Amino acid sequence: VLKLFKLLHRTRQEVFKNDTKALEAARQKINEEFRNNRDEKSEEKINELLKVASDVEVILRTSVIQAVHTDSDKILLVPRKDLLQDNTPYLDKPTKK
């Protein structure tokens, strides 16, 4: 549980780097969720909560991208290495192997 808690906070720091409002909001939400469930005794429920937390970490790391307003009508996207993936070209007629 503690390992996942720390991982979520490290991911939060990486995903929301230089965005103090988002960093603080994510910190509060992570702490609140863990605090609300700290007295849970059911092993099944604990495993379910750990799975949800793990899924959230993956989504944060692989799907969230920072955007910065640079002008009144322009937004600069700040991609992280985890988000950049090789693109597979689209083929109308796939070839058989």
Side-chain angles (χ1 to χ4, degrees), residues 18 29 33 69 76 86:
N18 300 324
K29 186 63 174 174
E33 290 297 324
H69 287 276
L76 173 68
D86 287 336

Side-chain angles (χ1 to χ4, degrees), residues 24-57:
E24 182 59 23
R27 184 187 70 78
Q28 288 179 358
K29 186 63 174 174
I30 292 166
N31 291 346
E32 175 187 329
E33 290 297 324
F34 275 81
R35 192 177 306 115
N36 289 344
N37 295 297
R38 72 176 168 210
D39 295 328
E40 186 61 53
K41 301 284 190 244
S42 166
E43 188 175 332
E44 184 178 306
K45 180 69 173 174
I46 291 170
N47 288 334
E48 181 182 320
L49 290 167
L50 289 174
K51 173 75 171 118
V52 169
S54 179
D55 291 347
V56 167
E57 191 276 331

